[in-house]
Amino acid sequence: MTAEIEKKEGSQREARDALRSSERAISNANRALTRLAASAHELRAEARRVAERGRSLQVQVSDREAAIERMLVAWAAASAPDALRVALSGNDPADIGRQLHYLGQISRAAANLLAEQRAALAELERLANDARSRAERLRAIEQASRADRDKLLSERRERRGVLQDLAADIRKNRREIRVLQADEVRLARIVAAIGRSDFGSLKDPFSALRGKLRLPVRGELTQRFGAPRGAAGMEAKGVFIRAPEGQPVRSIARGQVVYADWMRGFGNLLIVDHGENYLSIYANNESLLKELGDAVAPGEPIATTGSSGGNEETGLYFEMRHLGRAFDPLSWVKLK
């Protein structure tokens, strides 16, 4: 498993943890909404009870109003006599006392009815205000909760999208790794076959040229030995030199072409044997100017730069190997 895939799988785990938190929050929000709905149901039931109670109180209010009206009529018909009228009337003082007592009862009953009337009206107003306050508070809380749930749903969609993208990237990277590994295996087989060939050591030992070689093409060094190669993140066994298409690719030293053909992942590939089990490898070429078995001189054009093999950039992929193992070409060349 490469570091790049491990990093993306770590991001995938983080996204899953975030998704878990979001979905828990959504569950809590839905539970709160369910409780609010139950509260709304209770509030509506309470509103119905308040309305019924209000209607009952209204009937009582109407009855009291009629009773008060009758009492007022009776009070007006038998209003309390003043002292002169009592003296001149010649009525029995006991009858007058009874009349006064009756009027007092009417007055007290009217006062009680008025007090009950005021209390009933105040209770109706209080219940109505309480119901309105509860309804407004419930609407505000429900709106806020729905807004929170919508936000969480949006966040979950976004994080699910992140998960899907990460999963797609990981699948793609794994496919790329399998492809690159297969490409490496093919190249390793070619190199191993060359290592068993009958090509002998050439004149002038190649090992004496360490630190004196020049890169095979002029351009920008965009990938170094050991750096992650492509999105898959596999370590590069060579360097990539970005250059315009069609530029000459020159042999780094005297040698003999031991491979000149197209290979999957490397495009038009040319390998030169320099003796002492040293090989130089030139890939992604637009064209190969040499064929199998050709001798090449130092600095002689052997190919032209391109982007064959599916490479996204034009230039040259360049490796050096000894006994089949790749090593850093930059440790053998002069960059200036």
Side-chain angles (χ1 to χ4, degrees):
M1 184 68 66
T2 67
E4 182 69 19
I5 285 186
E6 289 175 353
K7 180 179 177 181
K8 288 193 174 181
E9 289 188 336
S11 299
Q12 189 181 46
R13 286 191 293 272
E14 291 174 4
R16 282 177 178 156
D17 291 342
L19 184 65
R20 178 180 59 191
S21 299
S22 285
E23 291 180 342
R24 281 177 176 171
I26 289 166
S27 176
N28 293 337
N30 283 329
R31 184 167 57 251
L33 285 172
T34 301
R35 289 174 179 170
L36 282 171
S39 298
H41 178 74
E42 292 176 3
L43 184 61
R44 285 190 291 271
E46 178 66 21
R48 287 192 294 270
R49 288 192 293 270
V50 167
E52 183 62 29
R53 186 175 178 187
R55 285 190 292 271
S56 176
L57 284 172
Q58 194 63 51
V59 170
Q60 294 176 23
V61 164
S62 297
D63 291 344
R64 288 193 191 97
E65 286 176 348
I68 290 169
E69 185 177 356
R70 289 192 299 271
M71 288 180 182
L72 290 174
V73 170
W75 177 274
S79 58
D82 56 27
L84 180 60
R85 289 172 57 198
V86 169
L88 296 176
S89 67
N91 293 335
D92 186 352
D95 290 337
I96 294 172
R98 284 193 296 272
Q99 184 181 11
L100 290 173
H101 177 72
Y102 173 69
L103 290 173
Q105 286 183 327
I106 291 175
S107 178
R108 285 191 294 274
N112 289 336
L113 283 173
L114 287 171
E116 290 175 0
Q117 187 80 329
R118 284 193 294 269
L121 292 172
E123 177 68 5
L124 280 173
E125 183 65 20
R126 186 191 68 78
L127 290 174
N129 289 336
D130 184 57
R132 282 194 298 270
S133 176
R134 286 187 182 183
E136 290 172 1
R137 189 164 59 252
L138 186 63
R139 279 195 299 270
I141 293 172
E142 188 171 2
Q143 287 173 358
S145 297
R146 288 189 183 280
D148 288 344
R149 188 179 67 169
D150 290 343
K151 180 180 177 182
L152 289 169
L153 287 170
S154 174
E155 184 179 356
R156 183 174 66 175
R157 284 193 296 269
E158 181 179 347
R159 285 185 172 142
R160 278 182 171 170
V162 170
L163 274 178
Q164 290 170 356
D165 291 344
L166 283 170
D169 284 346
I170 288 171
R171 287 193 298 270
K172 177 182 176 183
N173 287 344
R174 282 175 173 162
R175 286 195 300 270
E176 287 183 0
I177 282 180
R178 287 194 293 270
V179 169
L180 289 174
Q181 286 174 338
D183 294 343
E184 290 288 351
V185 168
R186 280 190 292 272
L187 182 58
R189 287 174 180 167
I190 293 293
V191 169
I194 292 170
R196 294 192 299 271
S197 70
D198 295 330
F199 293 115
S201 295
L202 298 173
K203 184 181 178 181
D204 300 327
F206 182 79
S207 57
L209 300 176
R210 182 167 185 170
K212 302 176 182 179
L213 301 176
R214 294 192 177 277
L215 287 173
V217 67
R218 291 180 179 274
E220 180 184 1
L221 192 66
T222 59
Q223 178 182 277
R224 291 178 176 267
F225 178 82
R229 183 181 175 192
M234 287 186 61
E235 289 187 359
K237 290 182 167 57
V239 299
F240 187 81
I241 306 166
R242 184 163 57 196
E245 189 174 73
Q247 297 296 305
V249 175
R250 303 179 184 277
S251 176
I252 58 171
R254 186 182 307 278
Q256 187 173 25
V257 177
V258 291
Y259 188 91
D261 202 352
W262 188 92
M263 179 183 289
R264 182 178 298 172
F266 296 94
N268 291 318
L269 175 68
L270 191 142
I271 302 176
V272 176
D273 184 352
H274 300 286
E276 297 184 285
N277 295 307
Y278 284 100
L279 301 175
S280 58
I281 300 171
Y282 312 80
N284 303 128
N285 299 290
E286 177 191 41
S287 57
L288 303 178
L289 305 181
K290 298 293 182 179
E291 296 180 330
L292 180 64
D294 286 350
V296 296
E300 182 179 1
I302 55 177
T304 58
T305 55
S307 57
S308 61
N311 199 10
E312 295 180 357
E313 292 185 301
T314 61
L316 175 73
Y317 177 71
F318 176 60
E319 285 188 14
M320 292 181 66
R321 296 199 179 211
H322 182 239
L323 294 173
R325 290 192 295 271
F327 59 90
D328 187 1
L330 299 184
S331 63
W332 279 63
V333 302
K334 294 187 298 183
L335 293 178
K336 293 184 180 179

